[in-house]
Amino acid sequence: MVQVDPRPQTGDTVTSVGAAGGETSSGTRSKGLSGNSVGLLGSAVIGISTVAPVYCLTSTLGPTVGEVGVQMPAVFLAGFLPMLLVAFAYRELNNAVPDCGTSFTWTVKAFGPRVGWMCGWGLVIATIIVLSNLAGVATSFFYLLLGELTGSPAVAALDDNKAAHVLTCLVFIAAATAVSYRGMTATKGVQYTLVGLQLAVLAGFVVLAVIKARSGDFAGSVDFSWTWLDPFAVRSFSAFTAGLSLSIFMFWGWDTCLTVNEETAGSAKTPGRAALLAMVVLIGSYLLTAVASQMFSGVGREGLGLGNPDTADNVFAALANPVMGTVLGVLLFVAVLASAAASLQTTFIPVARTVLAMSTYEALPASFARIHPRFRSPGRATVAAGVATGVFYAVMSFLSENVLIDTIYALGLMICFYYAITAFSCAWFFRRELRNSARDLLFKGVFPALGGILLAAVFFKTLTDMWNPAYGSGSSVLGVGSVFVIGVGLLVLGLVLMLVMQRRSPAFFRGTVLTRATPALMVED
């Protein structure tokens, strides 16, 4: 059997690792989280919520059309493919090692502590960036909705007041942190309502958009064509990869289903099934909304056309009243706000549990491994994530809007980075099982490796594009694009922090706390 660190874990006034029950049969450690708190549906809902489908659609429909025109539905399908392949990797790894550290833990098992640490860092820093972005979006739509309800432009204009915007943003972050702090039971209850609202409003939007498009009363409307689903009809490879990068971002967050595996009933099987269920709901929602929007508005660059640069960053704000009418149109604003707020709350889950796992295995300071005795949640890690998000957003907002924008553009690099490493980890971890059956070969080897290759290709293509100062806000540092500097800089920062932790926690980096292994080595002789 694989060797693990025999030293007992100590606790204090708050339940920590030692009180949680020690090691599991897979050589991992129990964290003391609240088991059996989430079922299949609840886990899938949390995954959908983290992705924030309504927010992703309103902010991505326009830019995607700007890159690929009417082939937007095809590009959404293309972006779904690598995510689906990586989802298979997550499912198989979770079956073997159901640990809330997910990418971090599995990569350590496959490739060792240093690669695993950097993979965990990629997930953590990507999540912090997303949290700050979601809080900003929730704030903007909060004031936009208030302006619609009150009919007061002055109220809507409060979003342009930097002090008011940042203060409101911090309130949203604090509220989301508080809900996440109270554990999975509170999280699940909030998410059923918010996700249900999002999907119901999207369904209404799709139906009304198709009906009005087919009525012939709107000048920009176009008839549906099956050629919209042909990715080879995109005008250039460069345009295709740009659209693909946007599409991949739209699916990011489904892996939250896996980070709650230690709190899910049937921790080995249920999270993987929930992730696949969430992916199916997402691709269905995206395709239907993309087709309906395109039929109603067309892809023109003027008026309600999806290619209009003046409305590209918030398509639903332009289409709400024309498609749904004045009264129902408000529901679309509510849905976008609910989407951003719901995702803001659930996005704390993966970062807090990854930090919890890294601390449990001594890759981060031990204080982050503390579990709240009542809520059975990683309280210290959740609060730390909330504070980091608030500080990051406030500092970036007052320092430079360009830096904040470029940081968000660099997000795609982080996502591809840790997803690709996790996918490759699956193929390597199960390498001795690939000849057992055709199923093992495909789902544990071929599909994950192919997903990793696709995401690695996007990673390096994005890295090349980021070098150009025109990428993102258009700012540069010594002639190099700011997005490149920020993206690579964040990875280098992770490397520096890893070296610091290597001096503070040599046991983890020697591989004696969380060991490399294969499934054959994780069973009793």
Side-chain angles (χ1 to χ4, degrees):
M1 186 173 70
V2 67
Q3 296 298 308
V4 294
D5 184 13
R7 293 170 298 173
Q9 301 298 306
T10 57
D12 50 21
T13 57
V14 183
T15 303
S16 68
V17 183
E23 298 159 2
T24 67
S25 59
S26 60
T28 58
R29 294 175 176 174
S30 179
K31 319 295 186 306
L33 295 166
S34 179
N36 298 320
S37 298
V38 187
L40 175 63
L41 180 60
S43 182
V45 165
I46 288 171
I48 295 168
S49 175
T50 306
V51 175
V54 178
Y55 158 65
C56 284
L57 284 165
T58 193
S59 60
T60 310
L61 287 172
T64 306
V65 165
E67 295 290 347
V68 301
V70 295
Q71 260 55 58
M72 173 174 60
V75 170
F76 284 175
L77 277 173
F80 172 70
L81 177 60
M83 290 293 101
L84 179 63
L85 296 175
V86 173
F88 287 136
Y90 271 73
R91 184 187 66 179
E92 298 302 324
L93 285 165
N94 183 76
N95 286 347
V97 188
D99 188 273
C100 72
T102 60
S103 293
F104 159 75
T105 303
W106 300 331
T107 307
V108 172
K109 287 283 186 183
F111 296 135
R114 289 168 184 80
V115 177
W117 201 99
M118 287 301 298
C119 187
W121 168 255
L123 187 154
V124 169
I125 197 62
T127 309
I128 294 297
I129 295 172
V130 168
L131 282 169
S132 63
N133 186 35
L134 287 168
V137 170
T139 300
S140 295
F141 270 91
F142 173 71
Y143 284 115
L144 185 60
L145 177 61
L146 284 182
E148 286 285 320
L149 293 175
T150 61
S152 171
V155 173
L158 284 174
D159 187 52
D160 297 324
N161 183 310
K162 186 167 292 187
H165 176 92
V166 171
L167 182 61
T168 307
C169 188
L170 293 178
V171 171
F172 274 114
I173 292 172
T177 304
V179 175
S180 295
Y181 186 85
R182 294 178 64 85
M184 291 308 303
T185 302
T187 296
K188 182 176 63 176
V190 172
Q191 294 308 319
Y192 277 133
T193 301
L194 295 179
V195 170
L197 172 64
Q198 290 182 63
L199 296 181
V201 173
L202 268 186
F205 174 85
V206 168
V207 171
L208 290 172
V210 171
I211 290 173
K212 292 190 175 184
R214 292 175 63 85
S215 70
D217 295 335
F218 295 86
S221 298
V222 295
D223 292 331
F224 170 75
S225 171
W226 288 105
T227 61
W228 294 356
L229 301 177
D230 180 10
F232 298 102
V234 179
R235 65 180 182 274
S236 70
F237 181 71
S238 179
F240 176 78
T241 55
L244 186 64
S245 180
L246 289 167
S247 178
I248 287 173
F249 166 73
M250 292 180 68
F251 289 100
W252 180 78
W254 56 266
D255 50 311
T256 301
C257 298
L258 283 301
T259 61
V260 297
N261 50 18
E262 294 187 41
E263 297 150 278
T264 304
S267 60
K269 301 289 186 181
T270 302
R273 293 169 180 167
L276 293 175
L277 176 59
M279 294 284 282
V280 170
V281 172
L282 288 168
I283 187 59
S285 301
Y286 288 166
L287 283 178
L288 289 173
T289 305
V291 168
S293 301
Q294 208 158 274
M295 288 179 64
F296 178 83
S297 299
V299 296
R301 296 180 58 84
E302 297 180 355
L304 295 178
L306 296 179
N308 188 339
D310 295 330
T311 60
D313 62 339
N314 188 357
V315 167
F316 286 158
L319 297 184
N321 290 344
V323 172
M324 304 185 72
T326 305
V327 177
L328 292 179
V330 173
L331 287 177
L332 200 51
F333 288 102
V334 173
V336 177
L337 175 59
S339 182
S343 183
L344 174 63
Q345 190 256 308
T346 52
T347 303
F348 275 101
I349 293 173
V351 65
R353 281 148 184 80
T354 299
V355 169
L356 168 67
M358 294 180 76
S359 180
T360 298
Y361 298 118
E362 303 176 29
L364 286 177
S367 61
F368 293 121
R370 294 176 180 172
I371 297 296
H372 194 282
R374 176 184 172 191
F375 301 126
R376 313 304 298 172
S377 67
R380 179 68 64 89
T382 301
V383 172
V387 171
T389 300
V391 170
F392 174 82
Y393 191 81
V395 170
M396 291 297 100
S397 294
F398 285 106
L399 180 64
S400 170
E401 288 293 338
N402 285 342
V403 173
L404 185 61
I405 292 170
D406 287 340
T407 301
I408 295 168
Y409 270 97
L411 173 63
L413 199 69
M414 306 300 161
I415 294 172
C416 291
F417 175 76
Y418 84 85
Y419 272 167
I421 293 176
T422 306
F424 290 134
S425 296
C426 180
W428 185 251
F429 182 77
F430 291 110
R431 64 192 182 277
R432 291 189 175 93
E433 296 188 3
L434 299 185
R435 295 183 180 181
N436 290 353
S437 67
R439 184 212 176 271
D440 283 350
L441 176 63
L442 290 175
F443 289 99
K444 295 180 179 180
V446 175
F447 289 163
L450 181 57
I453 290 170
L454 291 173
L455 289 174
V458 175
F459 174 86
F460 287 110
K461 181 65 169 66
T462 303
L463 198 64
T464 303
D465 293 342
M466 285 176 174
W467 183 271
N468 189 338
Y471 196 95
S473 69
S475 57
S476 64
V477 178
L478 300 177
V480 179
S482 294
V483 181
F484 180 92
V485 173
I486 292 170
V488 175
L490 289 172
L491 291 177
V492 171
L493 174 61
L495 181 62
V496 172
L497 292 176
M498 184 186 73
L499 294 175
V500 171
M501 284 306 305
Q502 186 169 314
R503 293 180 63 87
R504 293 188 55 180
S505 182
F508 168 77
F509 290 95
R510 285 198 304 265
T512 59
V513 178
L514 183 62
T515 57
R516 295 180 67 171
T518 64
L521 295 175
M522 295 194 307
V523 296
E524 296 281 358
D525 294 332

